Structure formats: C-alpha cells, structure tokens
Amino acid sequence: MTIEKNKVVAFQYVLKNEAGEEVERTGVDDPIVYLHGGHQNLLPRLEEALEGKDKGDQVVVTLPPEHAYGMHLENTVHRIPKKHLLTREKRLKPGMPIKVNTAEGPRDVMIVKVGKFNIDADTNHPLAGMTITFETTILDIRDATPEEITHGHSHGWDASEHHH
Ligand SMILES: [Zn+2]
C-alpha cells in the first residue's frame, strides 16, 4: 500500500535547521498520524513529498521558510499575561519556545523577556525564517475510515481517538 488520498499514515521524523542541528524529533512510541490528501494536516510541501511512498521508506524534505514556518517578521514582540501560557514550566527564560493560547487557538512563540505577571514574546514561529529539513520514516499506512474522511483528519492509528 502506498501513500495516496484518504490513507492514514504514521511516520516519525527528525527536524533539522539550516546548520544541520536537530531541533525536534518524534518519540519512538509517539509517531505523527495524519490523514493524507490535502486536508491541511501537514505542511503542504511535506505532504507532497510523502505522496506515493511506501511503508519503511525514508523521505528527506528540505523546505525554504516560505514553504515551512514563514519569513521572520519585524515588530512581533507582544506582552502576554502568564495565565495565557500553555505550559507547566516554572523556570521561564528568554529564548525558550513556548505555546500560548490566543483567540485563534494555540500558537508557538519565543520568550524575549520574563516579568512578574507577563512575558514579552516574539510571535514569529520559532522556526520562522529558517530553511528546515524533515528526515521522515514511513512506519505504516492504512485506509481511512469513512468518519475520518468526513472529519478531514485521522482519529489515531487505531481510529478510536475522539479528541474533539
Ligand atoms: Zn474527527
């Protein structure tokens, strides 16, 4: 079975920055599981690169910022009340990537300064302005259930997840 529209795909990845340094990797027991076929569950260029691939294939995809997490914008530092931070981390410090709750949902930001009740955070994605490389390994592929196709996302590898 190869990756095509309305297949559910489980894969692992190592994400590297321009310098080839590891930024992120999926855990051994915690692969990414997504519904393939233009449902906007993955970066579109990454999804394109996985099209037609098979279980066990390794796919390396390098994406310039405009196809990854966007260009680095100026004047994007905002003051955010600490109660809006989605973290249990107590030792906040500058340079730390963090998730915050916004009107549009959770968002990745980078801490610039830490105050008593607020932090100053740069709302550029921590990987904005970077050319990044995903080194992926396809772990498994299955047919999507009719429900997953209707919803436009996977319900986990065993199709039993209901997180919404
Ligand atoms: Zn659903």
Side-chain angles (χ1 to χ4, degrees):
M1 185 181 284
T2 55
I3 298 177
E4 56 182 11
K5 191 168 173 63
N6 295 332
K7 300 292 184 193
V8 170
V9 181
F11 73 93
Q12 288 186 321
Y13 70 87
V14 177
L15 177 57
K16 292 184 174 172
N17 64 17
E18 266 173 72
E21 298 159 345
E22 187 176 316
V23 178
E24 209 175 280
R25 73 159 63 221
T26 51
V28 178
D29 301 316
D30 191 24
I32 303 296
V33 179
Y34 81 98
L35 175 62
H36 188 87
H39 300 282
Q40 269 131 38
N41 295 321
L42 281 193
L43 291 171
R45 292 293 172 109
L46 176 57
E47 187 165 340
E48 263 172 43
L50 297 178
E51 175 89 23
K53 297 296 190 275
D54 212 335
K55 182 173 168 174
D57 283 354
Q58 297 194 320
V59 185
V60 178
V61 194
T62 296
L63 302 173
E66 62 270 30
H67 294 304
Y69 293 103
M71 304 309 290
H72 196 273
L73 305 174
E74 301 297 325
N75 302 318
T76 53
V77 175
H78 297 276
R79 186 147 290 180
I80 301 169
K82 281 185 175 171
K83 63 184 178 191
H84 291 169
L85 304 183
L86 297 174
T87 179
R88 273 175 246 132
E89 178 63 58
K90 294 277 182 269
R91 290 161 175 247
L92 301 172
K93 51 179 193 278
M96 188 183 273
I98 199 170
K99 276 196 195 315
V100 299
N101 224 349
T102 72
E104 294 92 46
R107 195 164 165 171
D108 292 296
V109 302
M110 180 80 82
I111 298 177
V112 176
K113 194 175 145 197
V114 182
K116 192 159 190 217
F117 301 108
N118 301 290
I119 62 157
D120 290 347
D122 189 333
T123 56
N124 281 301
H125 189 282
L127 295 172
M130 287 188 196
T131 294
I132 55 172
T133 299
F134 287 94
E135 298 176 0
T136 67
T137 306
I138 313 296
L139 301 176
D140 221 338
I141 305 165
R142 66 164 170 81
D143 292 316
T145 64
E147 198 184 24
E148 286 174 319
I149 293 168
T150 307
H151 287 199
H153 53 232
S154 88
H155 288 160
W157 182 251
D158 60 6
S160 65
E161 256 173 44
H162 264 276
H163 44 79
H164 50 270

